[in-house]
Amino acid sequence: MSQHRVLVFWLPLALAWWLMTIESPVIQGVISRKPDSETQLAAFGLLFTLQILIETPIIMLLATSNALSRDRQSFRLLWRFMMGLNLLITLVALLMAFTPLLDLYLGSLLRIPAPIIEATRPGMRIMTVWGAFIGFRRFHQGIIIRFGNTRHVGIGTVLRIGVSGGTALALGAVTNLAGATVGGAALMLAVVAEALYIWRVARPDVARLLATPLRTGQSALTYGKATQFHLPLAITSLLTMLAHPAIERGLASTPDAEQNLAAWPVVFSILLTMRAGGMAYQEVVLSLNESQSHHHVLRHFTLRLGGSLSLFMLVFSFTPLIQLYLTAILGVPAHLHTSIIIGAQIGLLLPLLTTLHSYFRALLMLSHRTSAIYQAIALGFALTTLVVWGGIALGLGGIVAAALGLTLGHLIELLYLYFAYRREHGALQLHWRSVVAAA
């Protein structure tokens, strides 16, 4: 175990995450160059976050399949578990797209202006099965990662970005479709292509699982055990995503609501891109943290990685690089630049905080203390909402309040995770002993 081995394991996962995060900016670049770009940017931001909110029950299927798929019996049970969740989220997406539920959620609850709601609706209808394909993909990605074939995750993401970018550029150039509708179509086609690729390359690993009988003396996986493991992770995803409608609700209450709702998706996509490497780190710790010596190597790598990502964020957001990005690459309307730049600068520490989140979450998962994870996120969500809504009420600019709230929410979440890990350190020691005994 060495820093180099961690780096080699992390790089393909980080590349996959980074490529996923640039999908949104690529589409935003197309939308920015079409008519009514401010409304369409706001609509695409709402479409994207709402679809992710709907898919929260299946986002963590990657971690669940990675941790629990160990033989024929567990794979078959988790397959049925995954399909049930996919059916559930597809039903929710259909109701949101084809009933007045969308108006109730965006209009009555979030107070989004009516023109933006109408711009969001066509994309919602196009993406009704988007979450189901993501659940299918993440289930198989967990198996691929379990067998160490992380390169396929990166290749799949390259394929996805190619399809989404190509679709957005083609539809933007040869059709009169509204920007948010173009974005929805691009996202839908891309996730289908990636899911089919991941399913294809996972077949040898699936065959290995199907050929592995339940070990003598080992208890069979049950729906109850799978739910007990997955539910806290699903709640974690839900609580994480609830921060987005809370922020959008706050921005919708500002005097310049449409401008803030258009600028915030661009700010958030910048922050997400800069945090991608830290988000990928959770699977690294889950896969490699098998002993105390491994733990020490991972701990040092965590600090170096998080510090490096935030340093890059510093260089990007406080130099002309960000202005070049907004102008030459995205083509964002000039009157949005100042607020976007300020929002990115306020989020300077988020890459470091995200890396540390991934590290401590993985350690808590390994000690089977996942409840602390969603408790931390609930605390972070509460503080984020308080800062955003309170800051706007006190006269802070909408983007300033949003970026500050997101940063402080992540900070309090990290502190809770750290102290939860300190309390559960003994459980992790027992986990290492059991790994050694099993070997």
Side-chain angles (χ1 to χ4, degrees):
M1 184 66 173
S2 65
Q3 298 279 313
H4 180 262
R5 182 187 172 192
V6 179
L7 179 65
V8 170
F9 193 95
W10 167 79
L11 274 174
L13 298 176
L15 176 62
W17 271 95
W18 181 75
L19 287 171
M20 281 191 289
T21 63
I22 68 169
E23 183 176 39
S24 185
V26 169
I27 296 172
Q28 287 169 349
V30 174
I31 295 173
S32 296
R33 292 169 171 84
K34 289 184 72 67
D36 195 23
S37 61
E38 189 169 295
T39 297
Q40 296 299 322
L41 281 170
F44 178 70
L46 290 168
L47 169 66
F48 190 66
T49 56
L50 179 51
Q51 286 289 348
I52 295 179
L53 182 63
I54 293 171
E55 71 163 36
T56 49
I58 54 85
I59 288 177
M60 287 298 193
L61 275 174
L62 188 153
T64 299
S65 67
N66 186 345
L68 301 183
S69 293
R70 55 180 181 263
D71 50 45
R72 179 169 55 247
Q73 184 272 333
S74 58
F75 171 80
R76 287 175 172 170
L77 183 139
L78 288 171
W79 170 272
R80 294 190 293 270
F81 186 78
M82 175 265 295
M83 293 300 288
L85 288 177
N86 283 347
L87 182 61
L88 173 65
I89 64 172
T90 299
L91 177 60
V92 174
L94 285 168
L95 290 173
M96 190 67 76
F98 292 97
T99 74
L101 192 58
L102 184 66
D103 300 279
L104 181 65
Y105 173 72
L106 292 180
S108 301
L109 185 61
L110 298 191
R111 306 291 177 85
I112 303 298
I116 299 178
I117 297 175
E118 290 308 311
T120 305
R121 199 183 310 276
M124 286 296 302
R125 292 176 175 175
I126 291 170
M127 296 178 67
T128 49
V129 293
W130 190 68
F133 275 96
I134 287 184
F136 183 82
R137 183 200 80 206
R138 290 186 71 77
F139 173 78
H140 287 90
Q141 282 177 327
I143 294 169
I144 287 172
I145 292 171
R146 181 177 182 86
F147 285 98
N149 299 317
T150 55
R151 69 185 185 281
H152 291 308
V153 178
I155 294 170
T157 308
V158 171
L159 173 64
R160 175 178 168 180
I161 298 304
V163 173
S164 65
T167 301
L169 289 169
L171 292 178
V174 304
T175 74
N176 293 322
L177 290 174
T181 304
V182 168
L187 291 174
M188 187 66 244
L189 288 175
V191 80
V192 171
E194 185 186 16
L196 292 176
Y197 170 79
I198 292 296
W199 169 75
R200 178 65 183 84
V201 297
R203 288 172 66 182
D205 296 329
V206 170
R208 290 173 65 182
L209 286 173
L210 291 175
T212 304
L214 183 66
R215 185 183 302 175
T216 303
Q218 186 175 4
S219 60
L221 183 66
T222 65
Y223 287 112
K225 291 178 182 177
T227 302
Q228 185 179 17
F229 183 90
H230 185 76
L231 183 59
L233 301 180
I235 294 173
T236 295
S237 300
L238 176 61
L239 290 172
T240 300
M241 285 309 303
L242 282 177
H244 298 289
I247 291 172
E248 289 162 353
R249 173 65 180 85
L251 295 177
S253 68
T254 58
D256 48 351
E258 188 162 337
Q259 180 175 323
N260 282 327
L261 287 167
W264 176 246
V266 181
V267 175
F268 186 74
S269 69
I270 292 171
L271 297 176
L272 194 62
T273 301
M274 295 296 177
R275 295 161 57 204
M279 292 175 174
Y281 193 57
Q282 178 174 292
E283 300 306 320
V284 177
V285 180
L286 282 173
S287 299
L288 300 183
N289 197 62
E290 298 176 349
S291 67
Q292 292 190 46
S293 62
H294 289 193
H295 174 72
H296 291 311
V297 174
L298 289 166
R299 183 176 61 192
H300 291 303
F301 189 87
T302 302
L303 295 173
R304 292 176 180 176
L305 174 62
S308 298
L309 294 174
S310 273
L311 178 61
F312 185 77
M313 181 69 182
L314 172 69
V315 173
F316 176 79
S317 60
F318 284 89
T319 68
L321 283 175
I322 189 169
Q323 189 71 51
L324 178 66
Y325 173 73
L326 295 176
T327 304
I329 298 177
L330 291 192
V332 173
H335 66 280
L336 300 179
H337 286 194
T338 300
S339 57
I340 292 172
I341 292 171
I342 292 173
Q345 291 172 344
I346 293 173
L348 169 66
L349 293 177
L350 280 170
L352 171 61
L353 296 176
T354 299
T355 306
L356 292 170
H357 284 183
S358 293
Y359 173 72
F360 285 114
R361 284 180 185 176
L363 295 180
L364 289 166
M365 287 180 195
L366 288 171
S367 59
H368 298 282
R369 300 299 190 272
T370 52
S371 60
I373 298 173
Y374 66 79
Q375 290 164 4
I377 292 178
L379 185 61
F381 163 71
L383 183 60
T384 297
T385 304
L386 179 64
V387 172
V388 174
W389 291 8
I392 290 172
L394 293 173
L396 274 182
I399 299 300
V400 172
L404 184 62
L406 199 62
T407 301
L408 293 178
H410 275 67
L411 179 59
I412 195 68
E413 181 183 338
L414 173 62
L415 292 174
Y416 190 95
L417 289 171
Y418 170 75
F419 287 111
Y421 161 71
R422 296 292 298 177
R423 289 195 303 270
E424 303 299 343
H425 187 61
L428 190 60
Q429 298 277 2
L430 290 174
H431 167 79
W432 285 328
R433 294 193 191 104
S434 67
V435 169
V436 173

